[in-house]
Every structure is written in structure tokens, then in C-alpha cells.
Amino acid sequence: MDTIVEIRRLVKRYKGNINALKGINLEIGKDEFFVIMGPSGCGKSTLLKIIAGILDYDEGELYIGGKDMKYVPPHKRDVSLMLENYALFPHMNIYDNIAFGLRMLNKDETEIEKEVSEIMKLLEIKGLEKRYPNEISGGQRQRVALARALVIRPSVLLLDEPLSHIDYRLQRKFASLLKDIHRKISGTAFVLTTHDQHHGLSLADNMAIMNSGMIEQVGKPEDIYMRPKTLFAARFVGEINTWSGEVLEISHDSVWVKTSIGVLKASRQNDEEIPNGQRVGYIVRPENIRIAGINEKADNTVEAVFEGMFYFGHYIELVFNAGGNERIKITTPTYNNLDLKINKKYTLGWSSRDAKIVSKPSILEGVDIEDLIYGR
Amino acid sequence: MYIQRYGKYLLLLPGIIVTGFFLVVPVILIVVVSFMQYFTMKSPTLTLQNYIDFITSPQTPTILANTFGMSIAASLLTLLVGYPAAYFLAFRIESVKTRNYIISLLLVPFLIDWNARTIAWIPILGEYGAVNYILQILNITREPVPLLFSRWTLLIIWLQTNILFMIFPIYLALIRIDPDLINAARVLKAPPSKVFFNIIFKLSLPGVAVGFTFVLVNTLGDYITPALWAGGIQVLGLSIASFAANFVWPYAATLSTVLVLIAMAVLFILFKLVDIKKLVE
């Protein structure tokens, strides 16, 4: 796929020498739906504003469509941005808000009218033309902001946390609307930031996990979910069980790790050199753990006491205690009627194929594996 | 129960008493007196004669043009000088501390007595004043230029005495503009000039209107400065003062009523054009 945005070793410093971005490398393809995911304050918003040209950067390079953007002001970039607070112009009605960008591009009024009407139809906000931003609902404002950013047909559409200020039902609706529109209009790459893993995973063609101004991992959602490169990335997407341990033995396809709940076997996920005795993180997703008797193929088994459960509608999360405050989480569809007794001991098992080891806690220097796992 | 419900309005009472007794009642009195032939409370005969005299007086057009012309000119000049200053303060100085220092510096002239401030113009604009001195040193003029006692003197003095009332409301309007609105306009392909005129200036209009009102009202009511420095131009305030001083109170009241009415009309038009609610929202 052709690249539209290329970022190399990008560094941004704020006053007081705080590094907001510490050397970002990123490539975003034409027509791609790219999601940048990370906790608040990780620098994802800063990165979007730099791509849009609102913020300057201190080191590194930024190319859009192959052109160096260092000295290109925002109004000359082939980029549009939907801001987190929508930033609709309060003194203009909805029509004028959406038409703003086209007017700045000096299109003639008949063409503007046609394009505004088209985009309003696409986003189902027809009829709001004469209203003012403070007279419409939050969901409508969001669509107007999207229409305004999209109507100028940029090569890159940046969406800064578009899903964070509306209630859950609207979030799902807006997310599928975004996916829909991305499919309908070709030639525009969508770059969206979010701190919500559900939206991130479900929307992205490709995604990047950010942490404190650095990128932990870039890849397809299923790659990051199934084969996380760092413990941070593993814990940021989806629920996960993690234990710290010491590598005991390595074969060509398996690793044995000594942890506080026993010796556990995991599959080797890449060709990374893992010396014996190294401290690593052992990870297994809660949907891969079974209660013995249900899955005979398990080659890892642990005895644990059932402590309680969380009900989520379509699935439940079961919490077990394997002794010494080591919790094990299991998720299972609600229709599995398990009838477990609190404080009773069960044998839990999982296949080593579903378990991985991660030797790097984070891409950042100086993060201790145990600090990350036990949240110290 | 009534106290709980309506007690909050008690807070308005002192203000209502003061404005009632010292503004509303006197204004009503002035309007009533303006319809009298002589000022007497015993058997007042109401008449329109004062207004007819005012309209038919050959001096009236000049006086009105002087009064409102000079006040509007002063307001425009103050706006022209004050807006860039407010813009600079709001967008070019990042540290709030520095901004506050500059604003407090603008207040310094108001700490000086009015008389001293007025007389201070002589060593600045006078025949042997600083400006003429500099002009002669730079060989721009040989002889001292008469800078005092003209319409320009009046404008310059009004500019100096009113600039803060223009800068401050505009500054307040500017710092309330969400920076993301500016960012959005820039990303939506607006070059800097259009960002300014389409977004920043339009959103600061309520501040402009308030500043304009302050300066207009201030200068309309000020007749001493024109009397002292304007080289003998006649303004409405000056006429009112001289008629009142000669006990022709009904005619002075008529002129006052006209002044207030026209000023209100100007402000009404101004606020029709600009939505003042935006500033207090």
C-alpha cells in the first residue's frame, strides 16, 4: 500500500523540557483506517496536531504525500482535523460551518451548495442548515464537526478522540458510521485517536499503541492482541492474566517459566533470544482458560479457589485465587451455566499454545516487569 | 417563606434606590422641565416651544455635527489604536503575569489628578513642548507648530484618556475565544488574514461594541475637555452648561433630552448590529 503520512524520529518538546514525543516512527497508508491508541497524556493528541500543522515539532521529519511539512502552514496541507471538542464556530449557522473550508478554498457558491448538501445527506443531518451550534444536540454537533472536516476532501482526515464525549449507545453508532463513511469515500486516510480499546480494536485496519510519547507497537489489531511485543501493549488491549517469572528451559517451540503459581509452559512467539534465568512476563488471555473437565488438552493446570464473578451480559468474568493473592481471571460466555461454589477449589487449565511470554515490559527504558504486573 | 423566595431580590435594593433617586428621577425631571416655558413648579405651562427653537436654530446642525462627529471620531480612533493593543496583549504575550503587569501600567494615568493630567498636555503639545522640540531638532519644522487648541488636540486627548476603556473589553472578548476555533479555521484552509476577519474579529465584536459604547458615552458627556483644548468648537454639553449657568433651565433640559435620545439611538443601532449576549455567555 502507498504511504500518505510518513513520520521519522519525531520529537516534540514542551516548555520546561518535557518531551511530549520521544522519537516517533510511523507510516500511514493511503485509504487506511489508522488508530492511535494510548492512555491520556501519552502524546496522541500532540501527534495529530503536529500532522495537522497546528503544532510545530522540534526534531525529525514529517512527510505528507511525499512532501516535507516542516515549513508548510496548516492551510496549505492536504489534511483536515476534527477536534476533540468539535470547535464549531458559534457565530455561524450549521450550513456556514460546513461550507467554511470550501469557501476558504475559493470554490463557487453553487458547487459549495451541492457538496454541503451531499455531505449533510451522507451524515443524516439534513434540515439543520439554519440552526446554530448551541441549538443542536451533542450527537448532531459531532456529525456537523465530521461533515465540516470531511467536506474539503482531504487526503488525511485526523479525528481527535471523536468518541469520548458521547454516551455509549451513540459511540457505537458513530463508530460504525465512521467505518461506513471510510468505506464509501475513497482516497482519504482516517487517523483516529482513542483511549478506548474496544473502539480502537474494532475500527482499525492498522493501529499503534502509544505510551508516554513513544510507540509500543504498530500492527493489525489481531497481531497486537495475539502477539503483543511488550507487556504494556498486551495489557492495553483486552483483559489479560500476567505473572512475572524466571525462564527455566527453552525448546525450539516452547518456554517453561517458573512463576509464583508454579511452572508454566508457553509457546515461543518469535525468534527473540531468551536467556535462561531471565525475568519475563507470562501472559494468557482470560477467554483461553478453562475449568478442568471441560478442556482435556490443557497442558498447564493450576489449583485455585473461586472468589466471585462479574456479570457483563453476553459474558461473565470469573475470579479465582491461586494462593498468595495471585488472581486468575477467566471469561466465558453467559450461556455456559457453570454453577460454581464460592470458596471451593477448582482446577484451571489452559493450552500452552494460548500462552506467551513477553520479555520487554515496555518500549520505555527503566520500567520493571514486576512494577507493571503488580501495579506498584 | 416569602423571604426565602424573594429574599434574594433584597440584594438589588441598594442599587435600585441609588439609581432610582439619582438617575431615574432626575432624568424624568429633566424631561418634564424640557417642556416648560419657565422653570416654575407652581403653574407650569407645557409647551413644545423649546424643541421648536432647537430644531429651527441655525446653530443646531453645527453643534450636533461637532458633538456626535467628534465623539464618534474619537471612538473610532480609540478602536483603531486599542484593538491592536488588545490583540497583542491577548495573543502575543503568553505569560499571564506579564499581561497583568501591562494592564496595571495602563491604569497608571488614572492615578494622577485630572487637572494635572490636563495641564500636562502643555509641556507635551505646547509651543515649547516636547513634540515641537523634537520636530525642530529633527529639522522637520523651523517654527513651532500650533498643536494645541484644535480638533486634533481634542482627539488626541480623548484617545489618551479613553484608550483603557477600549482595550479592556476587547481584551476580555479576545481571551475568551477558544483557541481550538482558531485551530479549526486554520486546518479548514483559512489563511491568517481570513482566520482573523472571519473568526477572531467577529467573535470579538461584543467587546468592540462595549468599548465603543464606553468611549462614546464618556466623550459625549465631557464638555470641559472640548472647552479647554478644542479651540472653541461648540458642543452640546457646552451649550447645556452655559444655558444652565444662566438659569435658562427649560432650554438646557431640552438640549439634555436631545443628547440622551440621540446617544441612546446610536447605542441601540450598535447593539442591533452586535450580539452583546455573546460576551456574557
Side-chain angles (χ1 to χ4, degrees):
Chain A
M1 200 193 293
D2 290 346
T3 326
I4 182 75
V5 180
E6 194 179 339
I7 295 166
R8 293 221 194 105
R9 298 178 306 278
L10 199 77
V11 173
K12 169 73 186 172
R13 282 184 211 95
Y14 280 127
K15 265 184 196 152
N17 245 356
I18 301 150
N19 283 16
L21 301 176
K22 303 167 185 162
I24 298 282
N25 291 297
L26 208 58
E27 278 184 24
I28 296 165
K30 267 179 192 162
D31 279 329
E32 194 170 33
F33 202 126
F34 196 91
V35 172
I36 301 171
M37 209 160 89
S40 345
C42 71
K44 52 193 191 302
S45 229
T46 303
L47 183 59
L48 277 205
K49 286 185 172 166
I50 285 174
I51 298 174
I54 294 168
L55 285 179
D56 198 9
Y57 50 95
D58 296 295
E59 285 169 33
E61 289 144 52
L62 165 66
Y63 299 94
I64 297 171
K67 271 176 264 161
D68 186 358
M69 288 289 129
K70 180 72 191 173
Y71 300 106
V72 180
H75 66 279
K76 291 192 175 147
R77 296 189 184 190
D78 191 8
V79 168
S80 192
L81 167 67
M82 176 180 161
L83 285 143
E84 188 176 352
N85 64 3
Y86 313 148
L88 299 180
F89 304 129
H91 58 302
M92 295 181 195
N93 66 24
I94 300 309
Y95 180 89
D96 290 337
N97 259 287
I98 299 174
F100 186 86
L102 295 171
R103 287 192 177 132
M104 293 301 122
L105 291 170
N106 293 319
K107 303 237 170 147
D108 61 69
E109 277 300 321
T110 47
E111 195 182 335
I112 291 176
E113 217 178 306
K114 197 178 130 251
E115 287 187 29
V116 171
S117 149
E118 238 166 56
I119 200 91
M120 288 184 86
K121 210 164 134 196
L122 186 67
L123 289 170
E124 296 161 24
I125 44 176
K126 278 236 131 212
L128 297 178
E129 286 86 347
K130 292 273 170 311
R131 306 266 207 99
Y132 279 81
N134 62 355
E135 298 168 348
I136 61 177
S137 73
Q140 288 171 330
R141 263 196 283 254
Q142 187 184 40
R143 280 157 188 255
V144 171
L146 177 63
R148 187 179 70 173
L150 197 59
V151 78
I152 58 175
R153 293 297 153 99
S155 293
V156 185
L157 175 66
L158 307 165
L159 304 143
D160 193 8
E161 295 269 358
L163 300 162
S164 54
H165 295 293
I166 42 173
D167 57 53
Y168 184 75
R169 199 182 55 84
L170 275 176
Q171 279 178 11
R172 291 305 311 164
K173 223 176 140 190
F174 194 71
S176 60
L177 177 80
L178 277 177
K179 194 91 174 160
D180 237 32
I181 284 170
H182 177 252
R183 207 181 46 236
K184 272 184 202 157
I185 59 167
S186 57
T188 299
F190 281 36
V191 183
L192 177 146
T193 62
T194 180
H195 57 259
D196 185 302
Q197 44 165 302
H198 296 291
H199 299 311
L201 288 170
S202 61
L203 283 169
D205 294 332
N206 265 308
M207 63 192 302
I209 307 283
M210 267 185 91
N211 180 19
S212 302
M214 292 189 86
I215 286 180
E216 291 274 342
Q217 190 170 355
V218 181
K220 294 192 180 312
E222 58 268 32
D223 270 352
I224 296 178
Y225 190 80
M226 306 293 287
R227 287 173 288 280
K229 281 192 184 142
T230 66
L231 209 54
F232 182 90
R235 288 163 65 93
F236 202 77
V237 291
E239 289 294 323
I240 200 156
N241 290 294
T242 49
W243 294 281
S244 89
E246 225 169 80
V247 175
L248 282 184
E249 203 186 324
I250 305 166
S251 74
H252 69 284
D253 63 349
S254 300
V255 186
W256 284 264
V257 180
K258 184 172 180 284
T259 71
S260 54
I261 58 167
V263 175
L264 303 173
K265 186 184 171 196
S267 60
R268 255 182 99 170
Q269 65 169 334
N270 43 33
D271 309 326
E272 192 184 1
E273 277 303 310
I274 310 159
N276 276 354
Q278 196 192 324
R279 289 213 76 78
V280 294
Y282 180 96
I283 59 175
V284 57
R285 298 274 176 199
E287 67 269 26
N288 293 326
I289 305 180
R290 302 280 185 270
I291 296 161
I294 296 168
N295 186 348
E296 275 77 30
K297 281 179 290 183
D299 46 6
N300 287 298
T301 53
V302 172
E303 298 266 296
V305 172
F306 179 58
E307 280 192 333
M309 57 171 259
F310 294 97
Y311 181 77
F312 288 100
H314 59 299
Y315 72 96
I316 41 180
E317 183 182 289
L318 309 165
V319 182
F320 291 85
N321 192 335
N325 262 342
E326 290 284 2
R327 294 291 186 316
I328 302 177
K329 282 181 288 189
I330 302 180
T331 53
T332 173
T334 315
Y335 57 76
N336 284 344
N337 194 356
L338 293 164
D339 193 27
L340 298 171
K341 302 270 184 308
I342 297 236
N343 286 335
K344 207 178 155 231
K345 212 170 224 183
Y346 293 90
T347 306
L348 311 178
W350 61 90
S351 159
S352 61
R353 275 182 299 115
D354 297 323
K356 307 275 180 322
I357 62 156
V358 179
S359 54
K360 258 199 231 160
S362 159
I363 205 86
L364 299 170
E365 299 291 321
V367 177
D368 188 68
I369 278 200
E370 295 195 10
D371 282 357
L372 198 57
I373 290 176
Y374 300 113
R376 282 189 293 238
Chain B
M1 193 203 147
Y2 280 103
I3 291 203
Q4 273 175 356
R5 208 158 169 197
Y6 300 108
K8 59 190 173 195
Y9 296 110
L10 277 176
L11 294 172
L12 286 175
L13 204 60
I16 287 174
I17 290 173
V18 170
T19 41
F21 274 93
F22 298 107
L23 185 72
V24 179
V25 172
V27 166
I28 292 170
L29 273 179
I30 285 173
V31 174
V32 171
V33 171
S34 77
F35 289 102
M36 290 179 178
Q37 208 134 33
Y38 310 101
F39 181 62
T40 166
M41 283 296 180
K42 269 183 190 159
S43 56
T45 42
L46 296 180
T47 166
L48 281 173
Q49 194 55 46
N50 292 326
Y51 287 90
I52 295 165
D53 287 350
F54 175 74
I55 291 165
T56 52
S57 160
Q59 272 190 317
T60 297
T62 327
I63 292 182
L64 283 184
N66 276 340
T67 310
F68 289 94
M70 289 309 285
S71 283
I72 289 173
S75 308
L76 288 175
L77 180 69
T78 315
L79 173 64
L80 226 58
V81 177
Y83 198 100
Y87 184 93
F88 178 80
L89 214 54
F91 291 119
R92 290 286 175 269
I93 298 175
E94 274 175 39
S95 136
V96 179
K97 222 174 170 182
T98 317
R99 281 189 206 167
N100 289 341
Y101 278 130
I102 294 175
I103 290 168
S104 47
L105 279 179
L106 289 173
L107 281 168
V108 167
F110 293 89
L111 302 176
I112 301 166
D113 173 58
W114 192 90
N115 295 300
R117 248 193 299 154
T118 310
I119 293 165
W121 286 106
I122 296 175
I124 297 170
L125 295 176
E127 222 169 295
Y128 303 102
V131 175
N132 265 317
Y133 183 71
I134 291 166
L135 287 178
Q136 285 170 62
I137 276 191
L138 296 175
N139 259 333
I140 296 169
T141 56
R142 289 257 180 85
E143 305 278 303
V145 184
L147 294 169
L148 285 174
F149 311 116
S150 77
R151 284 161 194 271
W152 289 106
T153 320
L154 181 60
L155 285 184
I156 288 170
I157 293 173
W158 270 350
L159 169 68
Q160 191 270 325
T161 47
N162 286 294
I163 187 86
L164 188 68
F165 301 111
M166 186 62 87
I167 291 180
F168 209 67
I170 296 176
Y171 167 75
L172 287 181
L174 287 174
I175 56 168
R176 287 173 59 99
I177 297 175
D178 179 1
D180 272 343
L181 293 178
I182 296 166
N183 288 338
R186 292 171 72 196
V187 173
L188 291 167
K189 311 292 162 255
S193 63
K194 293 206 169 155
V195 173
F196 177 74
F197 284 110
N198 286 318
I199 309 297
I200 298 174
F201 185 67
K202 287 211 174 133
L203 289 175
S204 70
L205 274 179
V208 171
V210 170
F212 203 89
T213 310
F214 279 159
V215 179
L216 193 76
V217 171
N218 250 348
T219 53
L220 278 178
D222 177 13
Y223 64 90
I224 299 175
T225 313
L228 282 176
W229 297 120
I233 68 162
Q234 192 66 7
V235 295
L236 214 43
L238 215 51
S239 310
I240 296 169
S242 68
F243 280 111
N246 290 311
F247 298 101
V248 194
W249 288 3
Y251 196 65
T254 304
L255 295 183
S256 305
T257 310
V258 170
L259 180 66
V260 170
L261 280 180
I262 299 181
M264 280 168 75
V266 172
L267 296 182
F268 180 78
I269 294 166
L270 193 63
F271 288 111
K272 270 280 156 193
L273 295 175
V274 177
D275 191 1
I276 190 77
K277 269 186 285 175
K278 289 264 159 60
L279 193 72
V280 282
E281 238 171 22

